[in-house]
Amino acid sequence: MTTTTARPETRPAPAAATPDGAAVRVDVAALENLLLGQYAQLRREARAITADPDFQKVEGLPMAEHRERVLHQLRRLEAEHDVLRAFPARHGGADDHGGSLARFEELVAADPSLQIKAGVQWGLFASAILHLGTEHHHDTFLPDAMHLRVPGAFAMTETGHGSDVASIGTTAEYDPASQEFVIHTPFRGAWKDYLGNAAVHGTAAVVFAQLVTAAPGQPKVNHGVHAFYVPIRDPQTHEFLPGVGGEDDGVKGGLNGIDNGRLHFDHVRVPRTNLLNRYGDVAPDGTYSSPIASPGRRFFTMLGTLVQGRVSLDGAAVNASKIALAIAVTYANQRRQFAGGGTDEVTLLDYGQHQRRLLPLVAETYAAAFAHEELLAAFDDVFSGRGDTPENREDLETLAAALKPTSTWGALRTIQTAREACGGQGFLAENRLTGLHADMDVYVTFEGDNTVLYQLVAKRLLADYAKSLKALQADRGDMARFVAERVADVALHRTPLIRAVQALGDLGDARRSVGQLREEQTQRDLLTDRVEAKVAQVAQALAPARKMSPDKAAALFNAHQHELIEAARAHAERVQWEAFTAGLERVEDPGTKQVLTWLRDLFGLTLVERDLAWYLVNGRLSAGRARTVTSYIERLLARLRPHAQDLVDAFGYGQEHLRAPISSGVEHERQEEARAYYRAQRASGDAPIPEKHLKG
């Protein structure tokens, strides 16, 4: 599919000069191919779907109509558009896990409600049956879930327990006499909540509950959270089945095309075989067994199989940022405001503050896009089985937990800034930015609250730090070799710790200072040292917890929670910078590579500038060098300004995807009409004289 460009044809392609004076240009088509990544063809196919008006969001549609429209779209996807790629070939899929997510992420351009409802049906409900169930479930339940004959809910979250899944209150107690599990919500806080498909469309649910059973002659034991396939509505009447109840969550701040609702269970019985028993099973007599002996490890293994939700949200958030920036930068390249000393008004993007607002976000979105491709590759490597090892699964979970918060928070910041940069036009629903922001809001909460996910990342960083210390203590005789090995470890999902980084002081020459800042290794050192020092500082602060009582240890941990979150954020940003840097190596065109290098530098130094107080307080930068960071950012903005339109055009979204009048070229036409009017006035001599030009 060929997309339509948002750039007015009357505006020539920009050129800028390198420091040595040579002109550079961006190869937009080649850069678009690079950004589309390894699943370029699948992404193009998905964008062709989102260009179909029947799949696109209708702003202002009443909630009930929006819900039915999205269900209709979902049924069309299943019937016509190859949405089952992630499922086994024997069930009509393609065993293509990465490709499947790449397609789903693109649906955000059509309607975020469609993207999320598709994720609920195939990424959560059907995938839970696939990954947590065994052959019986694959044959019995999976085909209907895949082909939407059974719309389903993913009933994990409870009103009283969101991110703390291990503490949910719903129980599934085994009755050996009938060989059934009794699903029960014992109190109001244990109601399942915020569930897509639960309010109206769902006829079954995968319900997570505390599995309670007793072996013959033994007391009851709670074996922790397990998943159960539970019918919830009569497929013909669509009424709740006996013992099942619920409520509609009603109007939300966004994503109103999804029928979110609540479910509760009053001693609902399901057959013993409805336990999705890949990681834990109950024999007819009530004896529990599991291939994973540790309850904690079993729990995290079960949840780890569902990591694809976080992966897809990361990708969707990046795409939402691309759409917002394509709209805002295009408008800023056409809209004029205030005379700049001449007869013409000034293009918005020629103002320094406008560049400051938008161009660093373009850089951040490029970094997030490159990082997402790495995450998608890691996900496919594990779920295809090619690299499915415990270590790789742990790395994948850590990487997803780092990037999902970073990109979703980044998307909200980007969309809001883009909306403000478009002035009153950005507030109009027809220009999509307000609706896109509302729909993206909840991305920071579901599939793991962002703050909780960063905390998981921080715990992994602390564990890596502890391992590094042990290795250092075991190898004190060869400190230099140890440090060199850690420096060389720049894998995206690991953090090299225990480095020896020199503080960057003044060199007495501002030009030399700038030259050092634009060096790749200097940026890597600054960003990596920030992670390592923050991890080391919080690790030292938490060290006494090992000898404390549990309550005092928890209090100490809580006192340093903010530092933990900041360490995780620094790690995630370093991951994005490394991914951007790796992406540069795949660029062949010299001009494009130069512009992307400036963009990478802008991203890296903006991160440093954002945390400049930390660098100064901790002696990593001198005051003089800190001033140089900001001055070089200003220089980069000026260099990148001529290429801004090329950089957002390379996202590959045409007007059929953006669907914002202000990005269609209409603003360019308005401006040209106004300029022609005033030129004609001046040429005719009929232009009135401004009062301030009258002589006294």
Side-chain angles (χ1 to χ4, degrees), residues 35-372:
L35 290 174
L36 286 171
Q38 60 180 321
Y39 300 109
Q41 185 55 37
L42 291 175
R43 290 189 184 279
R44 289 191 176 96
E45 291 172 5
R47 292 185 183 189
I49 296 170
T50 66
D52 181 345
D54 191 43
F55 284 101
Q56 294 170 357
K57 181 180 180 182
V58 177
E59 296 290 348
L61 202 65
M63 182 180 72
E65 293 180 36
H66 194 183
R67 288 173 169 181
E68 293 310 308
R69 179 179 175 84
V70 171
L71 180 63
H72 160 75
Q73 293 167 339
L74 215 63
R75 294 197 186 282
R76 272 200 65 191
L77 284 177
E78 187 279 324
E80 304 171 18
H81 290 299
D82 187 27
V83 293
L84 304 177
R85 298 188 65 84
F87 295 96
R90 76 184 185 92
H91 288 294
D95 292 302
D96 181 8
H97 301 274
S100 178
L101 284 196
R103 284 172 59 89
F104 277 124
E105 293 158 3
E106 294 294 339
L107 294 178
V108 76
D111 184 347
S113 287
L114 174 60
Q115 189 244 333
I116 296 302
K117 194 173 178 77
V120 169
Q121 181 66 28
W122 293 300
L124 292 176
F125 175 63
S127 286
I129 298 170
L130 174 64
H131 295 298
L132 299 180
T134 48
E135 189 171 352
H136 162 72
H137 308 105
H138 299 166
D139 293 337
T140 307
F141 303 128
L142 189 56
D144 285 347
M146 289 171 59
H147 295 286
L148 209 56
R149 292 188 288 268
V150 174
F154 185 77
M156 176 185 284
T157 299
E158 296 182 352
T159 306
H161 284 97
S163 297
D164 185 6
V165 178
S167 298
I168 59 175
T170 301
T171 58
E173 187 167 344
Y174 183 64
D175 178 2
S178 63
Q179 294 193 26
E180 293 173 318
F181 284 99
V182 182
I183 312 294
H184 185 57
T185 45
F187 46 84
R188 179 60 182 82
W191 283 25
K192 301 298 182 178
D193 213 340
Y194 324 116
L195 314 178
N197 280 337
V200 180
H201 299 142
T203 58
V206 170
V207 178
F208 288 79
Q210 305 284 353
L211 190 159
V212 178
T213 187
Q218 299 296 318
K220 291 180 183 179
V221 176
N222 182 348
H223 293 281
V225 177
H226 289 65
F228 302 81
Y229 185 92
V230 182
I232 60 172
R233 284 189 177 93
D234 184 296
Q236 277 70 49
T237 67
H238 231 62
E239 296 295 324
F240 279 124
L241 294 172
V244 181
E247 296 176 350
D248 193 324
D249 279 334
V251 177
K252 308 182 295 294
L255 297 179
N256 280 300
I258 306 172
D259 57 323
N260 293 95
R262 308 178 183 98
L263 294 175
H264 56 88
F265 305 92
D266 185 3
H267 298 91
V268 174
R269 290 177 173 267
V270 297
R272 179 181 65 87
T273 52
N274 280 29
L275 166 65
L276 301 180
N277 61 341
R278 180 178 178 183
Y279 297 108
D281 200 7
V282 174
D285 67 357
T287 302
Y288 178 84
S289 62
S290 172
I292 305 174
S294 165
R297 173 60 61 183
R298 186 188 314 134
F299 172 73
F300 285 109
T301 300
M302 284 193 289
L303 293 191
T305 63
L306 305 172
V307 70
Q308 61 190 356
R310 293 170 187 171
V311 178
S312 64
L313 291 185
D314 176 54
V318 173
N319 289 341
S321 293
K322 291 176 181 177
I323 290 167
L325 288 168
I327 293 169
V329 169
T330 300
Y331 182 67
N333 260 326
Q334 298 173 20
R335 178 77 158 87
R336 293 173 179 272
Q337 188 78 54
F338 301 110
T343 56
D344 275 339
E345 292 179 297
V346 178
T347 303
L348 292 184
L349 202 55
D350 286 330
Y351 287 107
Q353 183 60 21
H354 219 74
Q355 295 168 21
R356 258 284 185 174
R357 297 169 87 180
L358 293 177
L359 295 185
L361 294 175
V362 174
E364 182 179 327
T365 300
Y366 266 76
F370 283 119
H372 178 67

